[in-house]
Amino acid sequence: MLEECVAEGIAVAATVSFTVPQAIAIAERHRAGALRARQKGIQPGPCFAVIMIGRLDDFLREVAHDARAAADESDIRQAGLAATKRAYSIYRERGYEAVLLVAALRGDYHLTELAGAICSCPSRRPGRKSSLPATCPARSASQTHPAAVIERLCGMPDFVRAFEPDGMTPSDFMDSAPPKGPSANSSMRDGN
């Protein structure tokens, strides 16, 4: 449906994605629809690929706790960022026209770590004042996470599925949404 809308010049916001494979699938469908639109002389509809950065962190926090994983809280807080930065890097490398729209931020660190990215994200969480200083130290969006952090996170198969571009196929997506609450922690692991 995304491809069809784009091919007809309709703007699309593809919501509720959490992983690199999902973000890539959105960009590929947009690319295919844009090609079809241009072949018909239509201006392609823009596409915003929503990646819910904090929901992956929330899910993996529960997974790490349940599995007694080596990843600690500081690692978990970087999981969604690592996936988002990887998706962003792939978008740039492949020249995708779709724009990442970062959502479900859990703190200002999600913003500061994406400094320099060409993406869309809220400047503050609803109902909260931002604690961002006027000038904030930040890693660039193009900087990767420390190898040791990624190694600890890769000790959780669910992170690998979310982080690796080929970690999931589109048929896996429906069973791969991180949970909505802290008690629903088995959707990616168990396929529920």
Side-chain angles (χ1 to χ4, degrees):
M1 186 58 134
L2 183 153
E3 182 179 332
E4 297 300 321
C5 289
V6 172
E8 294 300 320
I10 300 168
V12 176
T15 61
V16 195
S17 63
F18 314 94
T19 69
V20 173
Q22 289 169 318
I24 291 170
I26 292 166
E28 287 291 336
R29 296 286 36 98
H30 178 259
R31 178 175 273 170
L35 177 63
R36 288 175 46 203
R38 289 183 181 109
Q39 288 171 342
K40 297 187 296 185
I42 297 172
Q43 176 68 32
C47 178
F48 296 92
V50 179
I51 188 161
M52 301 184 80
I53 191 169
R55 292 272 305 276
L56 182 59
D57 293 354
D58 296 344
F59 174 70
L60 291 174
R61 185 173 290 110
E62 295 294 320
V63 170
H65 177 267
D66 291 351
R68 292 178 170 58
D72 63 18
E73 180 59 22
S74 70
D75 297 333
I76 298 299
R77 287 173 51 115
Q78 295 183 63
L81 281 165
T84 300
K85 285 183 174 188
R86 186 144 205 204
Y88 179 73
S89 174
I90 291 167
Y91 270 45
R92 305 268 304 176
E93 288 169 9
R94 296 182 185 178
Y96 290 137
E97 294 178 66
V99 175
L100 285 176
L101 194 155
V102 182
L105 282 70
R106 297 298 186 252
D108 291 337
Y109 64 96
H110 278 145
L111 286 175
T112 59
E113 291 288 322
L114 293 170
I118 298 170
C119 65
S120 180
C121 56
S123 61
R124 64 182 173 88
R125 292 175 58 195
R128 289 196 170 172
K129 290 184 180 180
S130 176
S131 60
L132 287 173
T135 58
C136 54
R139 277 194 237 180
S140 164
S142 62
Q143 274 187 313
T144 58
H145 281 74
V149 171
I150 299 301
E151 185 178 327
R152 286 188 297 273
L153 289 168
C154 283
M156 295 182 288
D158 289 312
F159 176 75
V160 175
R161 290 178 57 191
F163 184 71
E164 292 299 334
D166 60 354
M168 293 189 296
T169 64
S171 63
D172 298 326
F173 294 165
M174 291 303 291
D175 293 332
S176 299
K180 293 185 183 195
S183 63
N185 61 2
S186 63
S187 61
M188 278 181 76
R189 270 196 317 278
D190 302 356
N192 296 325

